[in-house]
Amino acid sequence: MSEINSINKVRSVMEKSSSGYYQRWRLAKDSLARVGVVAGGLSVILAIILIFFYLLYVVFPLFLSATAESVSQYEVPEQALGKTLLLEVEEQNEVAARFTDSGQVVFFEAATGKTILAQSLAIPKDTHVVSFSQGSPVNQGAVIYGLSNGQAIIVKHQYKVTYPNNVRVITPSLSYPLGEQPLVLDDSGASLDKIAVQVGDDATTIVVKTADSVQPGISKIRISHFEKEQGLFVDENALTRTDSVLSQRAEDVDDILIDNEGRNLYLLSNNGRLAFYDVSDPGNPSLKQAQNIVDAGQKITSVAFLNGDLSLMVGDSSGLVSQWSTVRDKLNRPAMQKIRAFKVSDKAVIALKAEQRRKGFMTIDANGVMGIYHSTAERELIKEPVSDSLAVATVLSPRANAMLVEANDGKIHFWKVDNEHPEVSIKSLWQEVWYESYPKPDYIWQSSSASNDFEPKYSLTPLVFGTLKAAFYAMLVAMPLALMGAIYTAYFMAPRMRQLVKPTIEIMGALPTVILGFLAGLWLAPFMEEHLVGLFSFAMLVPIAVMVFAFCWQHYLPKALLNKIPEGWDAALLIPVILLSGWFAFTVSVPLEALLFHGTLRDWFKSELGIGYDQRNALVVGVAMGFAVIPTIFSIAEDAIFSVPKHLTVGSLALGATPWQTLSKVVLLTASPGIFSAVMIGLGRAVGETMIVLMATGNTPVMDLSVFQGMRTLAANIAVEMPESEVDSTHYRVLFLAALVLFTFTFVFNTLAEVIRQRLRVKYSSL
């Protein structure tokens, strides 16, 4: 007996120790799971925070202020060689050039003023320089000297870069595109009082203002066009020349400008008169427009082309700089129109220089205050006093990161400029902007072009609009189908049928979106274009067929047959009805379209309503992306409805409520937080979708509410353009800004959705 008691005691002790061991192990696992869940949640929050701050880190430089810093000042090099007509500096900001009124070109170190090389032009004896002009910077730095004997010399300054012993050496030189000897532009030997030139690879255009030898005191505007002859046996340097004379009253012409293509000629007078000519046919120039471009009582004090030569920047004596660009009028005729203006000073603008690679420009007023502006962004970037003396000549470097200013006190001031992202402003990102050659201000996204004189258009508004438009049409398709399907599956459907339907729909969510986008772009879009009437017929006939079938089923079928159908399997009977009605809708649409619209519905929309039709449009996106979003909304909503406690539904039915009353008054209200979450998660999926939108739309950033027009979304835009953007460029950072906008939008929207969901949960938790 004592042995049995001992055994029981041992067994009891072992059981206690065993149960204690398992209890401790279970508590340890619970603690480990709790730590893991907390760590995982904190890791997700940390990852989101890091993503946000990384996006902010990349975007932040866009909004940094530009700066300018004085580096050095020194005496004008080789002052004895004449007064400065033009300052130039090469791309590396190491070598500068000074063109003088005596026909000398002095190359010197930009930072120190040390002379590198001085060269003389072949100016004939007993003549002197009476006019000077600079060609477009895109034409390799050509300048022209007009002489007192009716001749002119065209010269280019060039810089050869070599690396002996791995040290960069820049060697300046001069070249003569039309020969070193002067060109005779006026056979009578009249003085070339004003001159302008554009030098191209195959053609050169020169415009001069000369005195009339027959009528003293009268001036003429002459156009000379030189073009290289083409032919197998033609000398490489052979030129054909075309001359013409304008009927323009030349006495009032104080500035002459030609665009870089040699097509448009602008004649300006100090009193503000502008004459705009088309000289694309050198032998037959035509006047397009003549008008005043400054306010009454003001004088034009400086003028320059903006980069690309599509706009004139005109500075006047009141300190105003206005931008004039060619705009097509209602009759499709080109006309100069003021699209914006900058109040840069209260004094006259005496110098105006445009950037060579962006739509920025620099001004200097009569007080020696320098300002740098960007036309498209309408931003004042820098405003600094450069010199106490009046500026004689200025230049902005090709990269716009340095400038030289010569003052009339005989000193040259060398400045460094830090101005990386002038194109970005609140206005350029979110407001309408009047771009060059556009008839009116508009929201435009066009970030790149094949030419360097392109005006970047970084409006995010059409991208945000496209994102919301795509999400709206996707949710318009997905929400009714997903929510109605979830309600029926969770509340009315038989358990065995639910076990088939729910996993099938959830598997749909595993389909790669690139496959859906591929099918939508290559099959669905052409199919919908060909069967547009069939699609609308399907949307109308299928619901009608379902309602008619349900009415007949309820009222005309024998009760015995009704009782043989198991409860909850009614939806299976609708499958053939939907298939047959859908087939009938697409079959009857072909003759119906021909009968009602005498052609295609697309043509009828265009001719009668003015609504265009793009093959890849919002309708295609709505169907394809709706198909992708349905599984997400359905699965979450169905789980929420199915999880409503049974005692609530049973109690409602026991109190005499019908199934529909129970559904609407009890089930849906109790499940509303989950249903709302399903909709919000589906919306987040639609907003962030990339591949379907990328492949199923025209991917054009247009702002059009029409369901038959395409769009471009923020996500698709990032996917398309990020691989092509230069790292740390303005384009690159604006794309990150688009990602930050998308991130902020989804974060704020989901936060608000969670707040609403929690309030719904509290409100209906007492049910």
Side-chain angles (χ1 to χ4, degrees), residues 68-382:
E69 179 185 4
S70 177
V71 176
S72 61
Q73 64 177 15
Y74 44 82
E75 298 293 332
V76 174
E78 308 295 339
Q79 293 191 48
L81 296 181
K83 296 180 180 180
T84 303
L85 297 176
L86 175 70
L87 284 177
E88 279 294 327
V89 63
E90 51 81 35
E91 189 171 14
Q92 305 299 331
N93 304 327
E94 295 181 11
V95 178
R98 188 172 76 90
F99 293 81
T100 73
D101 60 355
S102 62
Q104 303 286 331
V105 183
V106 180
F107 295 99
F108 59 94
E109 293 181 359
T112 64
K114 180 182 178 182
T115 301
I116 299 174
L117 176 68
Q119 286 188 282
S120 301
L121 304 183
I123 296 179
K125 293 182 178 180
D126 301 325
T127 62
H128 59 276
V129 176
V130 293
S131 59
F132 179 86
S133 179
Q134 180 184 17
S136 175
V138 299
N139 292 329
Q140 304 171 358
V143 300
I144 187 168
Y145 280 88
L147 306 178
S148 57
N149 63 351
Q151 296 180 339
I153 299 176
I154 300 176
V155 62
K156 287 184 177 182
H157 53 103
Q158 301 173 336
Y159 305 90
K160 182 180 179 180
V161 182
T162 58
Y163 291 89
N165 301 320
N166 293 324
V167 177
R168 182 172 62 203
V169 176
I170 300 176
T171 305
S173 63
L174 298 178
S175 65
Y176 301 87
L178 296 186
E180 191 170 350
Q181 294 304 312
L183 294 169
V184 178
L185 299 180
D186 191 307
D187 295 332
S188 66
S191 174
L192 306 182
D193 297 332
K194 297 290 180 182
I195 195 166
V197 67
Q198 283 297 345
V199 180
D201 294 333
D202 300 319
T204 297
T205 301
I206 304 173
V207 182
V208 298
K209 172 187 172 182
T210 65
D212 193 329
S213 59
V214 179
Q215 297 177 304
I218 303 298
S219 299
K220 289 185 177 181
I221 301 296
R222 301 176 182 271
I223 303 175
S224 299
H225 183 76
F226 300 86
E227 192 165 354
K228 290 184 179 179
E229 294 186 6
Q230 303 292 330
L232 183 62
F233 301 103
V234 176
D235 184 6
E236 182 179 357
N237 296 320
L239 298 173
T240 59
R241 176 172 175 172
T242 304
D243 292 295
S244 59
V245 178
L246 295 182
S247 59
Q248 167 80 18
R249 178 180 172 86
E251 287 73 20
D252 295 332
V253 174
D254 297 296
D255 282 293
I256 303 174
L257 291 94
I258 319 171
D259 71 346
N260 54 26
E261 294 183 353
R263 292 179 175 272
N264 298 314
L265 170 65
Y266 305 90
L267 305 178
L268 299 100
S269 63
N270 287 344
N271 61 11
R273 191 68 176 171
L274 166 68
F276 167 37
Y277 284 85
D278 181 359
V279 292
S280 54
D281 181 1
N284 186 28
S286 60
L287 177 65
K288 293 298 182 182
Q289 188 182 12
Q291 63 176 333
N292 290 319
I293 59 174
V294 297
D295 295 335
Q298 303 299 329
K299 301 286 187 180
I300 294 178
T301 55
S302 57
V303 63
F305 276 120
L306 200 62
N307 177 36
D309 292 8
L310 296 176
S311 295
L312 281 177
M313 306 304 296
V314 180
D316 63 28
S317 54
S318 69
L320 189 72
V321 174
S322 55
Q323 180 179 352
W324 292 78
S325 185
T326 305
V327 177
R328 293 280 176 178
D329 60 16
K330 294 181 179 179
L331 299 177
N332 201 33
R333 297 174 304 188
M336 296 296 290
Q337 187 168 345
K338 183 168 72 172
I339 63 177
R340 60 178 59 89
F342 301 82
K343 182 63 176 175
V344 304
S345 175
D346 293 328
K347 301 294 183 179
V349 179
I350 62 171
L352 203 160
K353 293 289 183 178
E355 294 187 20
Q356 296 185 20
R357 300 175 183 178
R358 298 182 302 201
K359 298 295 182 177
F361 61 95
M362 178 184 72
T363 65
I364 295 182
D365 66 11
N367 287 339
V369 177
M370 175 271 299
I372 294 181
Y373 302 82
H374 193 272
S375 63
T376 308
E378 298 187 26
R379 291 181 62 188
E380 179 184 276
L381 301 160
I382 299 173

Side-chain angles (χ1 to χ4, degrees), residues 608-623:
E608 298 296 328
L609 303 178
I611 300 175
Y613 184 93
D614 288 342
Q615 185 186 77
R616 301 185 180 186
N617 51 48
L619 188 60
V620 178
V621 172
V623 174

